[in-house]
Amino acid sequence: MKCPYCGFEESKVVDSRPTDEGERIRRRRECLKCAKRFTTYELIESLPIIVIKKDKSREPFKREKLLNGLMRACEKRPVSLDTLENLIDEIELSIQNTLDREVSSEHIGELVMEKIKNVDEVAYVRFVSVYRRFDDISSFMDELKKLADK
């Protein structure tokens, strides 16, 4: 961090604390050359995630859309809203960690299926049946057999 007084590029952190909102960190620094103190603020830069849909169109990632789909799959099931929010947090973090700014809807669907399977098997089957658009009962039964085998 460059000192605003002398321009020296090295400083040490004297004090560090989150701001009121908790979205930024306030740091008091001391220049290692002139010993003057100054304050910096650090914040997380969040780059938008773009979803590439099956028809190759692109749209911003929307948590609400994913939450609505999961809530439909978990309807009348003993799955709390907090559990679904945590699941979406894990999925979003997984996407952010790939450092790809564009992700296919198929990849998101696979991540959801992987996570929801561990939460509720009935919700998993509901989600998969809509996501994979089963054409007939045999493909649906095949998925149920895979789930039963595991």
Side-chain angles (χ1 to χ4, degrees):
M1 181 62 55
K2 188 183 268 188
C3 174
Y5 303 106
C6 70
F8 192 65
E9 292 190 3
E10 292 185 38
S11 62
K12 68 178 179 179
V13 176
V14 178
D15 180 42
S16 182
R17 64 180 71 168
T19 59
D20 295 334
E21 307 88 42
E23 295 180 13
R24 293 184 293 168
I25 297 176
R26 178 184 179 271
R27 298 195 192 279
R28 287 293 292 160
R29 296 177 177 272
E30 184 177 307
C31 176
L32 294 178
K33 184 176 180 185
C34 70
K36 290 190 178 181
R37 292 187 176 191
F38 57 99
T39 302
T40 61
Y41 291 90
E42 184 178 304
L43 65 116
I44 296 174
E45 179 181 35
S46 63
L47 299 172
I49 299 170
I50 303 298
V51 178
I52 304 170
K53 300 179 78 161
K54 289 179 183 174
D55 66 357
K56 303 297 181 210
S57 64
R58 287 168 164 73
E59 69 177 41
F61 175 79
K62 296 178 186 146
R63 285 181 62 94
E64 306 81 36
K65 195 171 181 180
L66 189 53
L67 181 61
N68 288 338
L70 285 170
M71 285 173 52
R72 271 185 260 126
C74 294
E75 194 171 312
K76 297 183 181 178
R77 298 297 303 156
V79 180
S80 71
L81 187 58
D82 284 343
T83 301
L84 295 179
E85 287 282 351
N86 291 336
L87 193 137
I88 293 171
D89 288 343
E90 290 174 18
I91 291 167
E92 198 169 3
L93 184 62
S94 174
I95 294 168
Q96 290 280 359
N97 286 341
T98 64
L99 301 179
D100 291 333
R101 292 299 119 218
E102 294 187 336
V103 63
S104 69
S105 59
E106 290 88 6
H107 180 66
I108 294 172
E110 296 295 325
L111 289 172
V112 171
M113 286 189 298
E114 179 184 308
K115 299 286 184 185
I116 195 76
K117 186 187 291 187
N118 299 326
V119 172
D120 187 278
E121 290 179 344
V122 173
Y124 168 76
V125 171
R126 288 177 179 171
F127 185 85
V128 169
S129 66
V130 171
Y131 177 73
R132 292 221 172 115
R133 296 182 184 157
F134 292 130
D135 296 327
D136 53 28
I137 193 73
S138 65
S139 56
F140 188 74
M141 291 303 291
D142 290 342
E143 190 65 36
L144 286 176
K145 285 178 188 173
K146 285 181 197 174
L147 186 61
D149 290 343
K150 291 182 180 177

